[in-house]
Amino acid sequence: MWTSPRLRSVDCNGSESSGGVEIVVNIGGLRQVFSANILSRCPDTRLAELATQAAENADDLTELCDEYCGGEFYFDRDPESFKCIMEVYFYGEVHMKRGICPACFMDEMEFWGVEVDFLDECCRSNLQEVEEELAEIAERVQSLLEARERVRAVGVGAWKRFQARVWHMMEQPDSSVPARIIAIISFILILVSSAALCAGTIPELQVRDAHGNPTEPQALVVVDTVCIIWFTIEYLLRLFAAPGKIRFLFSFMNVIDCLAILPYYLLLTLTHLGSALLELSNVQQAVQAVRILRVARVLKLARHSSGLQTLTFALRSSCSELALLLMYMGVGVFLFSALGYTLEQSHPDTLFTSIPQAFWWAVITMTTVGYGDVYPKTTLGRCNAAVSFLCGVISIALPIHPIINNFVVFYSKQRVLETAAHHEIQLMDLRSQEAAQETDTRTRKRTYSRTHTHTTIHTARSDTQIPLLEEPSIPTSSSHPSPQVPR
């Protein structure tokens, strides 16, 4: 199992070792004795180099450790991580314990000079997941910084800054109060538009036009027009402020927005111009076909709902499970519909006239819907139906748990990534403030030093001069030394 036999290392109170030069290390309170023969198995590591320099009686060893005292090397590092890393000298590989952060463990490995290749395959998967999460966090932080820089752009024209502010307001509802108000208005109008679309199909609310055809009442038409005007203005503002117009036009959510407003203008065109170009019946059919496209407005809710976006991404990540579910259902539908058709042929009043017609019965039976419009009438056919819905329940239940688990994992991961990205932005702002304060302090010190030197030359004999900072007095000349400043 191991690449080399494990040799025993003892603590500093023991006397056993593998011979040769020994070094005593103290890692966060963990004291350990290593032999140079053991450390030489990985000569590129920090401890191997430390043992080599100790054997050569090097004068300065503090570059390799935090402190050296009484023949013991002190390291201010994580002892739990070191217990895993030190196994590379005995086993030739490293195993990461549970509960240790993979990112911090990689920092420890880098500090001790142990390559990632020594990490066992079972632990590299955790490292890969962490690296992907860190990459996503970095991408989110970069996008937030780019959005902030576009808004705070200095040195660009006022027109570009205005475009950046409009884009920031339309795309990030949490950025400001006006952006949140716009998002709330859009969300409400999407619901109102969808409700008006549904209400327009109620026969009691419909009115007759000049040709006797049922149409929507004028009040619902006005509501629909107001919603479309808002959606159009919103889409045009996004298009105007978009940094990349081509990418904006072919984005999925922007295509949905375009499909939500396009049917209204097509209806206007067909209503006012269609009767002059086509027959009235063809115009009415085209109008009914275009009205169906208005249901795309409800998909606009995904832009303002993080839950719907998370569900979409979770389903996308569960494509393999969904494909497996469809495959199970497809095989079951074909098998049980063929059996049902064959077993029901002996009955004179059979409802299974063909295998394709039996597909409908197999689908509603395996999904446990059971409309009852098609049903078996023979005993063997009913047994086939019982087996079909039992298999349907099993085939649906098996992939459901992985899909739900993917949704929970993805949702939790997105929340963690968002929190980590905003936390990283706050840390960057804090570091920037600290750096600015440090720079300002240094500038004030240099300004005070120049002012203090100038004042000392001209008013060295003043008894009222009190320094603000404890600095050594600067002599003005050899003939006129400055007085000592009392401390």
Side-chain angles (χ1 to χ4, degrees):
M1 178 178 179
W2 308 109
T3 57
S4 58
R6 179 171 184 178
L7 299 180
R8 187 160 44 125
S9 62
V10 299
D11 57 13
C12 105
N13 295 325
S15 59
E16 292 184 275
S17 182
S18 58
V21 179
E22 297 178 350
I23 61 172
V24 182
V25 296
N26 190 316
I27 297 89
L30 175 65
R31 306 174 67 201
Q32 195 74 27
V33 176
F34 289 98
S35 171
N37 295 335
I38 296 178
L39 298 178
S40 61
R41 297 174 182 176
C42 300
D44 296 332
T45 59
R46 179 181 290 266
L47 290 181
E49 186 177 356
L50 185 64
T52 302
Q53 293 193 15
E56 296 175 356
N57 296 324
D59 296 334
D60 189 10
L61 297 176
T62 56
E63 295 182 357
L64 298 175
C65 63
D66 295 328
E67 187 178 354
Y68 175 69
C69 180
E72 190 170 347
F73 299 94
Y74 292 88
F75 295 89
D76 188 12
R77 310 298 298 187
D78 182 21
E80 297 299 325
S81 299
F82 181 76
K83 290 179 182 179
C84 303
I85 295 174
M86 65 181 289
E87 293 183 354
V88 71
Y89 301 107
F90 305 106
Y91 303 121
E93 58 184 1
V94 177
H95 287 267
M96 184 172 55
K97 293 181 179 179
R98 292 184 179 181
I100 298 179
C101 176
C104 298
F105 190 78
M106 292 310 301
D107 292 339
E108 293 293 324
M109 291 185 64
E110 182 179 359
F111 174 81
W112 295 110
V114 180
E115 299 292 337
V116 184
D117 298 335
F118 290 103
L119 191 63
D120 194 74
E121 292 293 337
C122 63
C123 303
R124 292 189 184 182
S125 59
N126 296 332
L127 176 62
Q128 185 177 1
E129 293 179 1
V130 172
E131 289 178 349
E132 292 176 356
E133 291 182 2
L134 293 177
E136 293 183 10
I137 292 175
E139 183 178 356
R140 291 175 182 267
V141 170
Q142 184 66 25
S143 62
L144 292 175
L145 290 177
E146 290 177 356
R148 179 183 297 183
E149 290 300 326
R150 285 196 297 266
V151 176
R152 300 178 180 178
V154 180
V156 299
W159 184 253
K160 291 293 184 181
R161 290 199 299 270
F162 175 72
Q163 282 185 320
R165 292 184 181 276
V166 172
W167 176 258
H168 198 64
M169 182 175 59
M170 300 300 295
E171 288 293 327
Q172 297 185 2
D174 298 332
S175 60
S176 61
V177 176
R180 183 176 294 274
I181 293 176
I182 291 175
I184 293 175
I185 294 176
S186 298
F187 187 83
I188 294 176
L189 289 182
I190 291 171
L191 298 179
V192 171
S193 176
S194 301
L197 175 63
C198 297
T201 60
I202 300 177
E204 290 78 7
L205 299 180
Q206 292 179 342
V207 296
R208 299 287 177 174
D209 58 6
H211 302 282
N213 298 315
T215 59
E216 298 178 355
Q218 189 64 28
L220 295 181
V221 174
V222 173
V223 171
D224 188 66
T225 303
V226 172
C227 295
I228 287 298
I229 291 175
W230 174 268
F231 296 153
T232 305
I233 295 175
E234 185 183 26
Y235 181 81
L236 293 178
L237 284 176
R238 283 195 174 96
L239 179 61
F240 156 75
K245 300 295 189 294
I246 302 299
R247 182 180 178 183
F248 175 86
L249 291 175
F250 291 98
S251 176
F252 176 75
M253 292 306 304
N254 296 321
V255 171
I256 295 298
D257 292 343
C258 185
L259 291 178
I261 62 178
L262 188 60
Y264 179 83
Y265 298 103
L266 288 178
L267 287 175
L268 288 180
T269 304
L270 292 175
T271 302
H272 294 284
L273 301 179
S275 59
L277 300 176
L278 303 172
E279 296 180 1
L280 182 61
S281 60
N282 296 333
V283 173
Q284 292 297 327
Q285 293 177 359
V287 168
Q288 293 298 328
V290 171
R291 282 180 176 177
I292 299 176
L293 296 178
R294 295 190 298 174
V295 298
R297 298 177 187 176
V298 73
L299 298 178
K300 288 173 60 66
L301 290 174
R303 178 182 293 276
H304 307 286
S305 175
S306 59
L308 289 177
Q309 296 176 7
T310 303
L311 178 60
T312 303
F313 288 121
L315 291 177
R316 183 186 302 177
S317 63
S318 304
C319 289
S320 59
E321 290 81 4
L322 293 175
L324 184 63
L325 174 61
L326 293 178
M327 185 185 68
Y328 285 160
M329 293 298 297
V331 172
V333 165
F334 181 81
L335 177 63
F336 292 111
S337 61
L339 289 175
Y341 170 77
T342 303
L343 297 175
E344 289 294 309
Q345 290 302 303
S346 60
H347 198 281
D349 298 329
T350 179
L351 298 176
F352 293 79
T353 58
S354 65
I355 293 180
Q357 188 271 340
F359 285 168
W360 168 250
W361 167 83
V363 169
I364 62 177
T365 302
M366 293 190 66
T367 55
T368 67
V369 176
Y371 286 116
D373 54 346
V374 181
Y375 57 91
K377 296 183 178 181
T378 63
T379 303
L380 292 178
R382 292 170 180 173
C383 293
N384 176 62
V387 175
S388 66
F389 69 70
L390 289 176
C391 293
V393 170
I394 295 175
S395 63
I396 293 176
L398 286 178
I400 287 299
H401 179 71
I403 295 175
I404 296 176
N405 185 60
N406 289 340
F407 174 79
V408 173
V409 171
F410 187 85
Y411 182 76
S412 302
K413 181 179 178 181
Q414 292 302 312
R415 296 291 298 271
V416 170
L417 291 178
E418 290 290 343
T419 304
H422 288 287
H423 181 65
E424 189 68 22
I425 291 292
Q426 293 176 357
L427 288 178
M428 295 176 64
D429 293 339
L430 182 59
R431 295 192 189 101
S432 300
Q433 294 176 3
E434 292 178 352
Q437 292 177 357
E438 184 178 356
T439 303
D440 184 60
T441 302
R442 292 179 179 177
T443 303
R444 285 186 296 177
K445 285 184 178 180
R446 288 195 296 267
T447 304
Y448 167 75
S449 178
R450 291 193 297 267
T451 306
H452 180 65
T453 303
H454 179 75
T455 307
T456 305
I457 294 175
H458 293 86
T459 60
R461 293 184 176 86
S462 174
D463 295 334
T464 61
Q465 180 182 358
I466 301 176
L468 299 177
L469 298 174
E470 292 186 359
E471 295 182 349
S473 58
I474 305 176
T476 57
S477 63
S478 57
S479 57
H480 299 283
S482 61
Q484 295 294 331
V485 180
R487 296 185 180 274

